[in-house]
Amino acid sequence: REAIRHGIVLARAMAAALDASPLTELILQPDLGVVLFRRDGWGRDEWAAWATQLLAEQVAFVAPSTYRGEAVGRLVFMHPRTPLTIVDELMASLLTA
């Protein structure tokens, strides 16, 4: 229960951060801890590079995803000890990549 509640908090915070950025677009309002979004100008190669960078830096494991045939970002928040600061860290890497 704690993990689910915390995942929802993180997903809502990430959704708000994505909504606030002119470079990103939330595709769907978060359902539980899942966030699905676009970044202007990104295709499969950019999503794969971002995911590889995050994993190499030990920030997050992000699997590039597809929504209705379009390459998109998908974040899943599940761990109850993930700090809220992950949202800022993910946004910073997303916007500077």
Side-chain angles (χ1 to χ4, degrees), residues 26-97:
L26 192 62
I27 295 172
L28 301 168
Q29 286 300 317
D31 187 20
L32 295 175
V34 180
V35 182
L36 199 62
F37 62 99
R38 296 179 178 93
R39 186 188 184 288
D40 286 350
W42 277 24
R44 294 191 194 293
D45 292 341
E46 291 80 10
W47 287 116
W50 185 58
T52 300
Q53 174 190 350
L54 290 173
L55 186 59
E57 294 173 356
Q58 297 183 4
V59 172
F61 172 73
V62 178
S65 193
T66 301
Y67 178 74
R68 296 185 177 178
E70 175 188 6
V72 298
R74 180 176 57 94
L75 299 170
V76 180
F77 297 99
M78 295 175 57
H79 198 286
R81 286 187 257 157
T82 302
L84 192 54
T85 56
I86 192 67
V87 171
D88 294 332
E89 195 169 355
L90 289 168
M91 285 303 296
S93 74
L94 181 63
L95 298 178
T96 59

